């Protein structure tokens, strides 16, 4: 019985560390703007660029699979990809619905 309790403590301890520690995740999606969000999904990159440059909207990441809009914590990382279909490697914060982009490339 003592071994079982000790084993359970170890298992739950490791599970807590695994689920609470941030890690990088690869995601496919679009760089859009906060005004339009998921509306364009690649069909109007000029609108995305106009909204960001002229209207002052913030760039956002739209997850291709979930159609979810994520705030970008480091928007300078995407300045060359406005309106583009991309693959990002990012640290995801589900509680604030934000991503910190570590790497970005055009999606294949």
């Amino acid at each position: 019985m003592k071994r079982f309790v000790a084993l359970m403590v170890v298992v739950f301890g490791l599970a807590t560390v695994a689920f609470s520690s941030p890690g990088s995740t690869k995601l496919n999606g679009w760089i859009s703007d906060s005004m339009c969000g998921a509306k364009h999904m690649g069909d109007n990159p000029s609108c995305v660029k106009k909204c960001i440059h002229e209207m002052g909207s913030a760039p956002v990441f739209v997850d291709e699979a979930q159609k979810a809009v994520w705030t970008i914590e480091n928007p300078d990382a995407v300045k060359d990809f406005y309106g583009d279909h991309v693959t990002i490697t990012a640290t995801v914060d589900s509680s604030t619905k934000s991503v910190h982009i570590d790497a970005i490339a055009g999606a294949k």
Side-chain angles (χ1 to χ4, degrees), residues 5 9-10 17 19 33 35-37 43 52 70 88 96 99-100 106:
V5 171
V9 168
V10 170
V17 170
F19 288 110
D33 62 273
M35 190 176 338
C36 296
D43 68 349
I52 292 171
W70 297 80
I88 63 169
T96 61
V99 293
H100 182 89

Side-chain angles (χ1 to χ4, degrees), residues 45-66:
S46 62
C47 179
V48 173
K49 291 173 186 171
K50 181 179 179 182
C51 287
I52 292 171
H53 290 299
E54 296 176 22
M55 308 292 272
S57 290
V60 295
F61 175 74
V62 181
D63 183 331
E64 182 175 67
Q66 299 176 1

